[in-house]
Amino acid sequence: MLEKLFELKNHNTSVRRELVAGFTNFMTISYIIFVQPNFLSAAGMNPGAVMVATCVSSAIATFLMAFLTNYPVVLAPGMGLNAYFAFEVCSNSGLGLSWQEGLGIVFIAGMLFLILSFVGIREAVMNALPASLQNAIAIGIGLFIAFIGLQMSGIITKDPATFITRGELDSKHILLSLFGIAVILALMARKVRGAILIGILITTGANLVFGFVSYEGIAALPPDPTPTLFKLQFPNIFAKLDLIPVIFVFFAIDMFDSIGTLTAIGYRAELMEAGKLAKARRALMVDAASTAGGACLGTSTVTCYIESATGIAEGGRTGLTAVFTGIFMLGSLLFIPLIKIIGGGYPINPIIGPALIVVGGLMLRNIIQIDWEDITESIPAFLTMIMMPLSFSITDGIGFGVISLAFLKLVTGRSKEIHPIIYYFALFFIACYIGGL
């Protein structure tokens, strides 16, 4: 049955390999189980209910991705948009909407995503990206993942003078992070199957031994989901015209984040066919429907996760990886005290950080596919790669790449080398930046 559903042999994988990949994905994204309630509680939402909504919405969305596309892609409430939801949309110092109205805004944006995905607009944008920019997106997301891992490990930290700097290398959490990196790299160099998963487990043990994390039990009853379940309300956007840009922000960020993530994962998992993701429309529709569904359950925008690359690095190639991740997300509701050992630390987490650093490095292999001799290709690629980690935004990386690509092709008289839609979206990004979005 599994072979018929997921075509494991055609993808040169096995149930065991997909299980390891799925569990690795789960442990890598487990931090969102605890971070999402922390963020959304600032908007007045019940933390326990948000935790349940996070796990359930992620599981359902991931199951949909598995069965409709057969891609090893995990979905969960997105970082960045959750902060925008809590501290801008539903904050008294921001728009001052109730969290119920905020969820209504997210639902409206999700339905807009779904319509545009259904008619193929999002797929058209994705397929219009030239090969150099697609490869740059994959590399940029690798750098982004590594940058997140360096921050979570404490190896890179804030500095008032230079913005970022190296952390104190003799601190306990950094030493544990370096230990985790060394273990994972040693296992990978020796071609041990499941190296990242084994490294995470060994690093977890070391963190327990040295007291960076503490054991709080194994199982507990899940929280009550009803305080946020189907509590969304729809504000009158025609009476409050300032809400239209808010919908636009949710739409634009999720659209380009999902396009960037799917492109990167497509290259990393070798799913691209002639430079295109064959089931891109289905994948984008799942992403869109998951946003609307998550709002109904009581959480902010649900989207594709770049951390899916950790499972792919472990050999995950089909939707069975996603199925296993979804099962673990649902099961985690019964084992919150145990899962908290691995995912509870944020922003410092010397257990997950090392895995992200290694996976980010593995995603740089596409750099040889970029034509570095052609400035109209290489500079847009460079800006895409560098802006993703430095702006902490996949969307901004794509924006800078698209604008520079369109500009350089125009001024060199080579405008017909790229799809016309690139010029429209270059103007779109320019308008967004001028408008302060």
Side-chain angles (χ1 to χ4, degrees):
M1 182 184 70
L2 292 177
E3 174 60 36
K4 185 177 180 180
L5 282 172
F6 301 109
E7 302 176 341
L8 301 178
K9 290 181 181 177
N10 287 344
H11 290 86
N12 193 29
T13 186
S14 64
V15 174
R16 179 187 175 277
R17 190 176 298 176
E18 300 287 297
L19 173 61
V20 171
F23 191 46
T24 303
N25 270 343
F26 164 70
M27 291 209 291
T28 308
I29 70 167
S30 61
Y31 68 89
I32 197 63
I33 299 174
F34 306 96
V35 174
Q36 187 72 354
N38 184 49
F39 271 66
L40 267 56
S41 63
M45 299 180 70
N46 181 283
V50 172
M51 180 179 288
V52 175
T54 297
C55 293
V56 174
S57 63
S58 177
I60 294 173
T62 303
F63 289 147
L64 286 173
M65 184 67 76
F67 290 111
L68 293 179
T69 70
N70 198 26
Y71 289 161
V73 177
V74 178
L75 294 93
M79 292 295 292
L81 283 174
N82 54 5
Y84 180 70
F85 176 94
F87 302 115
E88 293 290 336
V89 177
C90 300
S91 168
N92 289 331
S93 60
L95 290 176
L97 295 183
S98 68
W99 60 263
Q100 293 92 337
E101 291 177 316
L103 291 176
I105 292 286
V106 171
F107 180 87
I108 293 170
M111 294 307 297
L112 178 60
F113 305 158
L114 187 59
I115 293 169
L116 293 178
S117 299
F118 182 76
V119 300
I121 292 178
R122 293 173 80 182
E123 180 188 18
V125 175
M126 187 173 180
N127 291 335
L129 295 172
S132 61
L133 217 56
Q134 289 188 16
N135 282 293
I137 289 169
I139 297 161
I141 288 180
L143 293 172
F144 191 16
I145 291 175
F147 188 55
I148 293 171
L150 288 166
Q151 287 184 313
M152 294 181 81
S153 300
I155 297 172
I156 293 296
T157 188
K158 294 185 293 185
D159 184 90
T162 61
F163 301 109
I164 59 171
T165 189
R166 189 199 70 200
E168 298 294 332
L169 296 184
D170 59 349
S171 62
K172 183 190 295 185
H173 62 274
I174 293 182
L175 290 174
L176 288 167
S177 297
L178 294 173
F179 170 76
I181 295 169
V183 170
I184 293 173
L185 289 177
L187 292 171
M188 292 184 73
R190 297 184 65 85
K191 302 188 184 303
V192 175
R193 180 66 65 185
I196 296 174
L197 175 58
I198 295 170
I200 289 174
L201 293 174
I202 292 174
T203 308
T204 301
N207 277 265
L208 282 167
V209 169
F210 289 98
F212 192 77
V213 294
S214 59
Y215 174 77
E216 299 178 12
I218 296 177
L221 290 175
D224 178 12
T226 56
T228 62
L229 187 64
F230 295 109
K231 294 296 193 297
L232 71 168
Q233 297 175 2
F234 299 103
N236 187 345
I237 60 175
F238 299 104
K240 298 179 179 179
L241 294 179
D242 58 341
L243 296 183
I244 294 177
V246 177
I247 297 173
F248 178 76
V249 168
F250 278 112
F251 160 73
I253 294 177
D254 190 27
M255 175 178 175
F256 286 100
D257 274 12
S258 59
I259 286 174
T261 299
L262 288 169
T263 299
I265 290 171
Y267 275 101
R268 187 69 187 90
E270 300 175 353
L271 299 172
M272 306 297 281
E273 300 175 10
K276 297 181 180 180
L277 200 60
K279 299 175 183 176
R281 184 177 299 191
R282 290 188 192 180
L284 291 167
M285 287 179 67
V286 169
D287 185 283
S290 300
T291 292
C296 293
L297 292 172
T299 191
S300 58
T301 305
V302 176
T303 188
C304 300
Y305 253 55
I306 54 177
E307 285 87 347
S308 302
T310 56
I312 292 169
E314 287 286 27
R317 290 295 181 272
T318 74
L320 187 55
T321 292
V323 168
F324 282 127
T325 303
I327 291 171
F328 289 125
M329 284 298 287
L330 285 178
S332 67
L333 288 171
L334 298 174
F335 300 97
I336 292 298
L338 184 62
I339 303 303
K340 191 175 182 181
I341 296 174
I342 296 172
Y346 186 87
I348 297 298
N349 190 318
I351 297 173
I352 296 174
L356 295 180
I357 294 169
V358 173
V359 170
L362 294 175
M363 293 180 69
L364 301 187
R365 64 181 184 180
N366 284 20
I367 200 165
I368 61 174
Q369 302 298 327
I370 296 172
D371 184 1
W372 293 104
E373 299 301 320
D374 184 350
I375 194 171
T376 68
E377 300 284 337
S378 60
I379 294 301
F382 165 73
L383 290 174
T384 299
M385 290 185 287
I386 199 70
M387 285 304 297
M388 282 189 188
L390 295 187
S391 67
F392 220 75
S393 168
I394 295 172
T395 297
D396 282 333
I398 296 174
F400 274 70
V402 166
I403 292 171
S404 58
L405 178 69
F407 172 74
L408 289 172
K409 292 296 184 183
L410 279 173
V411 299
T412 55
R414 299 162 59 184
S415 60
K416 293 183 179 180
E417 291 184 5
I418 56 176
H419 197 285
I421 202 170
I422 296 295
Y423 298 106
Y424 293 124
F425 274 93
L427 293 173
F428 165 83
F429 278 114
I430 291 171
C432 288
Y433 293 139
I434 292 174
L437 298 178

